[in-house]
Amino acid sequence: MKLIDFIFPPRCPLCGTVTTEKDKTFPLCENCFDLQEKEKFDKITDVADYLPQNKDFYCAYKYNGVLRKAVIKYKFEGEIWMAKPFSVFIIKAIEVYGGFEDIDYLTYVPVSKKRLAERGYDQTFEIVKEISKCKGIPVIKCLLKDNKMGDNASGNKNRHTRVSERRYFFIGNKSEIKNKNVLLIDDILTTGSTIVECTELLLENGAMSVSAAVLASGRKDF
Ligand SMILES: [Zn+2]
């Protein structure tokens, strides 16, 4: 088999089986589709308790099992092709409950420049580029992650402490997001503190509304 034949057919991101975009289970193979139905995220009714400033919140799956293994491969083993199928998970989750009609811009939670240099790609940006291509909505890069701060610094701290320990900064053009509806995308939701912090930044800098979407949630309580 030529390399090009090997690369181009779409594959199920969870098991590697070749699929086609015509399959109703796409991007999953039939087997993984059936398994993932049990891991689907139900409509979240009380998410306002956790993400009070987000207009809407979308999440495709629970972060466990084979999906978790696939995400780890995607993030740490250079399996960048998974960005496309993962983008379809997020698109489908949004289209079930909301849709893209009101969204002016996509943006995302970035990795730090240090991590980007180590890894060679920003896993969430790769997914967001695919969503942008599919839905025709522009991506703006307007958030920067501080190199020095850890990934889970502020989960249990109060807002006052958090503000003094900000991990993200707004580096965009305020006039670009002024009065716009922004969809903020992250790969995995753990505590939710990252979404809260980045949403605050976008609103402080003029966005009219911020909805959030993630591939999967590791929270057990909603
Ligand atoms: Zn599969």
mmCIF file with all atom_site columns, all heavy atoms in Angstrom, residues 139-154:
data_model
loop_
_atom_site.group_PDB
_atom_site.id
_atom_site.type_symbol
_atom_site.label_atom_id
_atom_site.label_alt_id
_atom_site.label_comp_id
_atom_site.label_asym_id
_atom_site.label_entity_id
_atom_site.label_seq_id
_atom_site.pdbx_PDB_ins_code
_atom_site.Cartn_x
_atom_site.Cartn_y
_atom_site.Cartn_z
_atom_site.occupancy
_atom_site.B_iso_or_equiv
_atom_site.pdbx_formal_charge
_atom_site.auth_seq_id
_atom_site.auth_comp_id
_atom_site.auth_asym_id
_atom_site.auth_atom_id
_atom_site.pdbx_PDB_model_num
ATOM 1   N N   . VAL A 1 139 ? -11.566 32.062 12.856 1.00 0.00 ? 139 VAL A N   1
ATOM 2   C CA  . VAL A 1 139 ? -10.927 31.847 14.165 1.00 0.00 ? 139 VAL A CA  1
ATOM 3   C C   . VAL A 1 139 ? -10.126 33.086 14.507 1.00 0.00 ? 139 VAL A C   1
ATOM 4   O O   . VAL A 1 139 ? -9.391  33.594 13.654 1.00 0.00 ? 139 VAL A O   1
ATOM 5   C CB  . VAL A 1 139 ? -9.895  30.689 14.117 1.00 0.00 ? 139 VAL A CB  1
ATOM 6   C CG1 . VAL A 1 139 ? -9.352  30.395 15.516 1.00 0.00 ? 139 VAL A CG1 1
ATOM 7   C CG2 . VAL A 1 139 ? -10.470 29.445 13.494 1.00 0.00 ? 139 VAL A CG2 1
ATOM 8   N N   . ILE A 1 140 ? -10.241 33.567 15.734 1.00 0.00 ? 140 ILE A N   1
ATOM 9   C CA  . ILE A 1 140 ? -9.317  34.611 16.160 1.00 0.00 ? 140 ILE A CA  1
ATOM 10  C C   . ILE A 1 140 ? -8.461  34.078 17.301 1.00 0.00 ? 140 ILE A C   1
ATOM 11  O O   . ILE A 1 140 ? -8.958  33.418 18.212 1.00 0.00 ? 140 ILE A O   1
ATOM 12  C CB  . ILE A 1 140 ? -10.023 35.930 16.557 1.00 0.00 ? 140 ILE A CB  1
ATOM 13  C CG1 . ILE A 1 140 ? -11.207 35.662 17.480 1.00 0.00 ? 140 ILE A CG1 1
ATOM 14  C CG2 . ILE A 1 140 ? -10.478 36.699 15.325 1.00 0.00 ? 140 ILE A CG2 1
ATOM 15  C CD1 . ILE A 1 140 ? -11.757 36.933 18.080 1.00 0.00 ? 140 ILE A CD1 1
ATOM 16  N N   . LYS A 1 141 ? -7.161  34.362 17.186 1.00 0.00 ? 141 LYS A N   1
ATOM 17  C CA  . LYS A 1 141 ? -6.235  33.974 18.252 1.00 0.00 ? 141 LYS A CA  1
ATOM 18  C C   . LYS A 1 141 ? -6.148  35.172 19.183 1.00 0.00 ? 141 LYS A C   1
ATOM 19  O O   . LYS A 1 141 ? -5.537  36.174 18.830 1.00 0.00 ? 141 LYS A O   1
ATOM 20  C CB  . LYS A 1 141 ? -4.842  33.732 17.673 1.00 0.00 ? 141 LYS A CB  1
ATOM 21  C CG  . LYS A 1 141 ? -4.682  32.452 16.899 1.00 0.00 ? 141 LYS A CG  1
ATOM 22  C CD  . LYS A 1 141 ? -3.186  32.243 16.625 1.00 0.00 ? 141 LYS A CD  1
ATOM 23  C CE  . LYS A 1 141 ? -2.969  30.929 15.919 1.00 0.00 ? 141 LYS A CE  1
ATOM 24  N NZ  . LYS A 1 141 ? -1.570  30.482 15.997 1.00 0.00 ? 141 LYS A NZ  1
ATOM 25  N N   . CYS A 1 142 ? -6.770  35.097 20.342 1.00 0.00 ? 142 CYS A N   1
ATOM 26  C CA  . CYS A 1 142 ? -6.720  36.285 21.196 1.00 0.00 ? 142 CYS A CA  1
ATOM 27  C C   . CYS A 1 142 ? -6.356  35.964 22.629 1.00 0.00 ? 142 CYS A C   1
ATOM 28  O O   . CYS A 1 142 ? -6.347  36.848 23.468 1.00 0.00 ? 142 CYS A O   1
ATOM 29  C CB  . CYS A 1 142 ? -8.037  37.062 21.101 1.00 0.00 ? 142 CYS A CB  1
ATOM 30  S SG  . CYS A 1 142 ? -9.470  36.102 21.554 1.00 0.00 ? 142 CYS A SG  1
ATOM 31  N N   . LEU A 1 143 ? -6.038  34.717 22.924 1.00 0.00 ? 143 LEU A N   1
ATOM 32  C CA  . LEU A 1 143 ? -5.659  34.366 24.289 1.00 0.00 ? 143 LEU A CA  1
ATOM 33  C C   . LEU A 1 143 ? -4.240  33.806 24.296 1.00 0.00 ? 143 LEU A C   1
ATOM 34  O O   . LEU A 1 143 ? -3.822  33.138 23.348 1.00 0.00 ? 143 LEU A O   1
ATOM 35  C CB  . LEU A 1 143 ? -6.635  33.329 24.848 1.00 0.00 ? 143 LEU A CB  1
ATOM 36  C CG  . LEU A 1 143 ? -8.099  33.786 24.944 1.00 0.00 ? 143 LEU A CG  1
ATOM 37  C CD1 . LEU A 1 143 ? -9.015  32.610 25.216 1.00 0.00 ? 143 LEU A CD1 1
ATOM 38  C CD2 . LEU A 1 143 ? -8.278  34.863 26.000 1.00 0.00 ? 143 LEU A CD2 1
ATOM 39  N N   . LEU A 1 144 ? -3.530  34.113 25.364 1.00 0.00 ? 144 LEU A N   1
ATOM 40  C CA  . LEU A 1 144 ? -2.160  33.626 25.520 1.00 0.00 ? 144 LEU A CA  1
ATOM 41  C C   . LEU A 1 144 ? -2.046  32.981 26.882 1.00 0.00 ? 144 LEU A C   1
ATOM 42  O O   . LEU A 1 144 ? -2.555  33.521 27.870 1.00 0.00 ? 144 LEU A O   1
ATOM 43  C CB  . LEU A 1 144 ? -1.180  34.806 25.433 1.00 0.00 ? 144 LEU A CB  1
ATOM 44  C CG  . LEU A 1 144 ? 0.300   34.475 25.659 1.00 0.00 ? 144 LEU A CG  1
ATOM 45  C CD1 . LEU A 1 144 ? 0.877   33.760 24.437 1.00 0.00 ? 144 LEU A CD1 1
ATOM 46  C CD2 . LEU A 1 144 ? 1.100   35.746 25.954 1.00 0.00 ? 144 LEU A CD2 1
ATOM 47  N N   . LYS A 1 145 ? -1.391  31.845 26.958 1.00 0.00 ? 145 LYS A N   1
ATOM 48  C CA  . LYS A 1 145 ? -1.169  31.210 28.255 1.00 0.00 ? 145 LYS A CA  1
ATOM 49  C C   . LYS A 1 145 ? 0.224   31.535 28.780 1.00 0.00 ? 145 LYS A C   1
ATOM 50  O O   . LYS A 1 145 ? 1.207   31.424 28.055 1.00 0.00 ? 145 LYS A O   1
ATOM 51  C CB  . LYS A 1 145 ? -1.322  29.693 28.148 1.00 0.00 ? 145 LYS A CB  1
ATOM 52  C CG  . LYS A 1 145 ? -1.262  29.043 29.516 1.00 0.00 ? 145 LYS A CG  1
ATOM 53  C CD  . LYS A 1 145 ? -1.545  27.577 29.472 1.00 0.00 ? 145 LYS A CD  1
ATOM 54  C CE  . LYS A 1 145 ? -1.660  27.079 30.899 1.00 0.00 ? 145 LYS A CE  1
ATOM 55  N NZ  . LYS A 1 145 ? -1.630  25.619 30.935 1.00 0.00 ? 145 LYS A NZ  1
ATOM 56  N N   . ASP A 1 146 ? 0.245   31.925 30.055 1.00 0.00 ? 146 ASP A N   1
ATOM 57  C CA  . ASP A 1 146 ? 1.515   32.229 30.710 1.00 0.00 ? 146 ASP A CA  1
ATOM 58  C C   . ASP A 1 146 ? 2.376   30.963 30.747 1.00 0.00 ? 146 ASP A C   1
ATOM 59  O O   . ASP A 1 146 ? 1.915   29.903 31.145 1.00 0.00 ? 146 ASP A O   1
ATOM 60  C CB  . ASP A 1 146 ? 1.203   32.704 32.141 1.00 0.00 ? 146 ASP A CB  1
ATOM 61  C CG  . ASP A 1 146 ? 2.411   33.304 32.814 1.00 0.00 ? 146 ASP A CG  1
ATOM 62  O OD1 . ASP A 1 146 ? 3.504   32.715 32.712 1.00 0.00 ? 146 ASP A OD1 1
ATOM 63  O OD2 . ASP A 1 146 ? 2.266   34.356 33.443 1.00 0.00 ? 146 ASP A OD2 1
ATOM 64  N N   . ASN A 1 147 ? 3.623   31.083 30.348 1.00 0.00 ? 147 ASN A N   1
ATOM 65  C CA  . ASN A 1 147 ? 4.543   29.933 30.371 1.00 0.00 ? 147 ASN A CA  1
ATOM 66  C C   . ASN A 1 147 ? 4.777   29.382 31.767 1.00 0.00 ? 147 ASN A C   1
ATOM 67  O O   . ASN A 1 147 ? 5.013   28.206 31.949 1.00 0.00 ? 147 ASN A O   1
ATOM 68  C CB  . ASN A 1 147 ? 5.923   30.354 29.837 1.00 0.00 ? 147 ASN A CB  1
ATOM 69  C CG  . ASN A 1 147 ? 5.984   30.285 28.325 1.00 0.00 ? 147 ASN A CG  1
ATOM 70  O OD1 . ASN A 1 147 ? 5.333   29.452 27.708 1.00 0.00 ? 147 ASN A OD1 1
ATOM 71  N ND2 . ASN A 1 147 ? 6.774   31.161 27.731 1.00 0.00 ? 147 ASN A ND2 1
ATOM 72  N N   . LYS A 1 148 ? 4.729   30.273 32.749 1.00 0.00 ? 148 LYS A N   1
ATOM 73  C CA  . LYS A 1 148 ? 5.206   29.889 34.078 1.00 0.00 ? 148 LYS A CA  1
ATOM 74  C C   . LYS A 1 148 ? 4.173   29.139 34.910 1.00 0.00 ? 148 LYS A C   1
ATOM 75  O O   . LYS A 1 148 ? 4.514   28.397 35.808 1.00 0.00 ? 148 LYS A O   1
ATOM 76  C CB  . LYS A 1 148 ? 5.637   31.148 34.852 1.00 0.00 ? 148 LYS A CB  1
ATOM 77  C CG  . LYS A 1 148 ? 6.856   31.826 34.239 1.00 0.00 ? 148 LYS A CG  1
ATOM 78  C CD  . LYS A 1 148 ? 7.400   32.938 35.114 1.00 0.00 ? 148 LYS A CD  1
ATOM 79  C CE  . LYS A 1 148 ? 6.497   34.150 35.169 1.00 0.00 ? 148 LYS A CE  1
ATOM 80  N NZ  . LYS A 1 148 ? 6.329   34.835 33.871 1.00 0.00 ? 148 LYS A NZ  1
ATOM 81  N N   . MET A 1 149 ? 2.883   29.343 34.585 1.00 0.00 ? 149 MET A N   1
ATOM 82  C CA  . MET A 1 149 ? 1.850   28.787 35.453 1.00 0.00 ? 149 MET A CA  1
ATOM 83  C C   . MET A 1 149 ? 1.534   27.342 35.076 1.00 0.00 ? 149 MET A C   1
ATOM 84  O O   . MET A 1 149 ? 1.582   26.959 33.921 1.00 0.00 ? 149 MET A O   1
ATOM 85  C CB  . MET A 1 149 ? 0.580   29.630 35.342 1.00 0.00 ? 149 MET A CB  1
ATOM 86  C CG  . MET A 1 149 ? 0.793   31.083 35.715 1.00 0.00 ? 149 MET A CG  1
ATOM 87  S SD  . MET A 1 149 ? 1.250   31.306 37.443 1.00 0.00 ? 149 MET A SD  1
ATOM 88  C CE  . MET A 1 149 ? -0.388  31.344 38.161 1.00 0.00 ? 149 MET A CE  1
ATOM 89  N N   . GLY A 1 150 ? 1.158   26.571 36.087 1.00 0.00 ? 150 GLY A N   1
ATOM 90  C CA  . GLY A 1 150 ? 0.774   25.181 35.857 1.00 0.00 ? 150 GLY A CA  1
ATOM 91  C C   . GLY A 1 150 ? -0.581  25.084 35.196 1.00 0.00 ? 150 GLY A C   1
ATOM 92  O O   . GLY A 1 150 ? -1.219  26.089 34.914 1.00 0.00 ? 150 GLY A O   1
ATOM 93  N N   . ASP A 1 151 ? -1.033  23.853 35.003 1.00 0.00 ? 151 ASP A N   1
ATOM 94  C CA  . ASP A 1 151 ? -2.291  23.656 34.297 1.00 0.00 ? 151 ASP A CA  1
ATOM 95  C C   . ASP A 1 151 ? -3.507  23.660 35.203 1.00 0.00 ? 151 ASP A C   1
ATOM 96  O O   . ASP A 1 151 ? -4.617  23.838 34.750 1.00 0.00 ? 151 ASP A O   1
ATOM 97  C CB  . ASP A 1 151 ? -2.254  22.319 33.536 1.00 0.00 ? 151 ASP A CB  1
ATOM 98  C CG  . ASP A 1 151 ? -1.482  22.474 32.245 1.00 0.00 ? 151 ASP A CG  1
ATOM 99  O OD1 . ASP A 1 151 ? -1.696  23.487 31.578 1.00 0.00 ? 151 ASP A OD1 1
ATOM 100 O OD2 . ASP A 1 151 ? -0.674  21.593 31.943 1.00 0.00 ? 151 ASP A OD2 1
ATOM 101 N N   . ASN A 1 152 ? -3.312  23.411 36.479 1.00 0.00 ? 152 ASN A N   1
ATOM 102 C CA  . ASN A 1 152 ? -4.496  23.283 37.338 1.00 0.00 ? 152 ASN A CA  1
ATOM 103 C C   . ASN A 1 152 ? -4.327  24.087 38.619 1.00 0.00 ? 152 ASN A C   1
ATOM 104 O O   . ASN A 1 152 ? -4.574  23.621 39.712 1.00 0.00 ? 152 ASN A O   1
ATOM 105 C CB  . ASN A 1 152 ? -4.766  21.807 37.653 1.00 0.00 ? 152 ASN A CB  1
ATOM 106 C CG  . ASN A 1 152 ? -3.503  21.081 38.038 1.00 0.00 ? 152 ASN A CG  1
ATOM 107 O OD1 . ASN A 1 152 ? -2.507  21.719 38.373 1.00 0.00 ? 152 ASN A OD1 1
ATOM 108 N ND2 . ASN A 1 152 ? -3.537  19.759 38.011 1.00 0.00 ? 152 ASN A ND2 1
ATOM 109 N N   . ALA A 1 153 ? -3.885  25.316 38.441 1.00 0.00 ? 153 ALA A N   1
ATOM 110 C CA  . ALA A 1 153 ? -3.521  26.134 39.592 1.00 0.00 ? 153 ALA A CA  1
ATOM 111 C C   . ALA A 1 153 ? -4.710  26.629 40.409 1.00 0.00 ? 153 ALA A C   1
ATOM 112 O O   . ALA A 1 153 ? -4.609  26.762 41.614 1.00 0.00 ? 153 ALA A O   1
ATOM 113 C CB  . ALA A 1 153 ? -2.687  27.324 39.124 1.00 0.00 ? 153 ALA A CB  1
ATOM 114 N N   . SER A 1 154 ? -5.838  26.888 39.766 1.00 0.00 ? 154 SER A N   1
ATOM 115 C CA  . SER A 1 154 ? -6.817  27.727 40.467 1.00 0.00 ? 154 SER A CA  1
ATOM 116 C C   . SER A 1 154 ? -8.152  27.069 40.757 1.00 0.00 ? 154 SER A C   1
ATOM 117 O O   . SER A 1 154 ? -9.089  27.729 41.151 1.00 0.00 ? 154 SER A O   1
ATOM 118 C CB  . SER A 1 154 ? -7.049  28.986 39.644 1.00 0.00 ? 154 SER A CB  1
ATOM 119 O OG  . SER A 1 154 ? -7.560  28.631 38.387 1.00 0.00 ? 154 SER A OG  1
#
